[in-house]
Amino acid sequence: MPSTPPPDAYYADPRLAACYDTIDGSREDLDHYRAIAEELGARTVVDLGCGTGSFAVLLASAGYQVIGVDPAAASLDLARAKERALPPGAAPITWVEGDATAIGPLGADLAVMTGNVAQVFTTDESWETTLRGLRAALRRGGHLVFESRRPAARAWERWQAEDREQRHEVPGIGTVLTRPRGITVDLPRVTFTDEFVLPDGTALTSTSTLRFRDEAELRSSVAAAGFEVLEVREAPDRPGLEHVVLARAV
């Protein structure tokens, strides 16, 4: 089977991964995903593309059993540090360095992909591999939830307009400058490059490519991987911009 794409430097380079939480800002969307986990009565959750572990530790602090999966070792190091800072009584988290094929059959209740995770699989093969890997990790009747930007909202046009340098005060590091360095639109893929200037003057770049899938494509690909699509919702914090797919393993 084809491999999934390697992680972007923003997540894999320890210097950039340490800046991620500050630059990414508040994550109101995670409260929405936690509410879905509660709605579905899940107790065991696979967080694919867990990154620096924000959602995984949020769930663990509420008593969920969490398996955090990510191919970027630098991000997982930060995630483990967050887990160590949890109060006594929080559920332990299992961390897996890899992609969906590294999870195996767990009989989990819920698998999630928050943020941009579902869009980093830019080929049909890598997307199918990911969905089938998540299906294998779930029990029959378990659920899959993820979001994907609506192509019709044309998010890349807003990104192209955001061409100014920004300053971020990163705890333990100092002032980090971010600068957009170009966006290439070749639908259904959009590639963008950003530059990060660290306090010592070191300039690092990270290039990312996202795949935009419409609702029909999302529904058909999820169904082909062994799921029944129950609903495609709005993201409450971004109405009109995201598809939030809720599916059940069959």
Side-chain angles (χ1 to χ4, degrees):
M1 296 293 285
S3 61
T4 54
D8 303 334
Y10 192 24
Y11 314 106
D13 188 309
R15 296 165 294 180
L16 294 182
C19 303
Y20 175 81
D21 287 337
T22 298
I23 294 174
D24 200 46
S26 61
R27 293 291 305 274
E28 293 88 350
D29 61 308
L30 299 184
D31 292 328
H32 168 54
Y33 278 92
R34 178 179 171 179
I36 292 176
E38 183 175 354
E39 171 192 340
L40 297 174
R43 299 311 306 160
T44 304
V45 182
V46 175
D47 181 11
L48 180 64
C50 64
T52 61
S54 295
F55 188 50
V57 298
L58 176 67
L59 290 179
S61 65
Y64 290 85
Q65 297 292 323
V66 184
I67 301 90
V69 185
D70 202 283
S75 292
L76 286 179
D77 287 343
L78 296 169
R80 292 186 181 98
K82 289 180 182 178
E83 181 189 13
R84 290 193 292 270
L86 285 174
I93 303 171
T94 299
W95 303 106
V96 177
E97 183 180 340
D99 57 20
T101 65
I103 305 170
L106 296 176
D109 300 317
L110 174 64
V112 299
M113 291 182 281
T114 67
N116 295 332
V117 172
Q119 291 186 256
V120 305
F121 308 105
T122 59
T123 67
D124 293 340
E125 293 81 8
S126 63
W127 179 230
E128 177 185 350
T129 298
T130 297
L131 292 174
R132 293 195 178 279
L134 291 174
R135 173 61 190 89
L138 291 168
R139 63 173 174 82
R140 184 179 178 88
H143 292 87
L144 168 67
V145 180
F146 66 89
E147 66 187 64
S148 185
R149 288 185 176 88
R150 296 172 182 257
R154 302 179 69 82
W156 55 87
E157 294 180 350
R158 295 191 301 277
W159 301 340
Q160 289 170 322
E162 295 170 357
D163 60 354
R164 62 186 178 87
E165 176 181 283
Q166 296 188 57
R167 290 176 173 264
H168 305 272
E169 295 301 324
V170 180
I173 294 179
T175 303
V176 176
L177 305 180
T178 59
R179 298 166 179 159
R181 289 305 190 202
I183 296 177
T184 300
V185 180
D186 184 17
L187 295 178
R189 297 169 183 83
V190 177
T191 300
F192 53 95
T193 299
D194 293 297
E195 181 181 69
F196 303 80
V197 182
L198 304 182
D200 65 0
T202 300
L204 304 171
T205 59
S206 181
T207 297
S208 304
T209 299
L210 300 180
R211 168 80 175 260
F212 285 74
R213 296 177 173 90
D214 61 24
E215 182 175 343
E217 184 177 4
L218 292 172
R219 284 180 176 272
S220 63
S221 60
V222 169
F227 293 92
E228 176 191 5
V229 177
L230 302 177
E231 188 177 357
V232 178
R233 302 179 175 180
E234 292 271 9
D237 57 322
R238 288 152 293 162
L241 300 180
E242 303 273 351
H243 294 300
V244 179
V245 179
L246 173 59
R248 179 171 56 212
V250 296

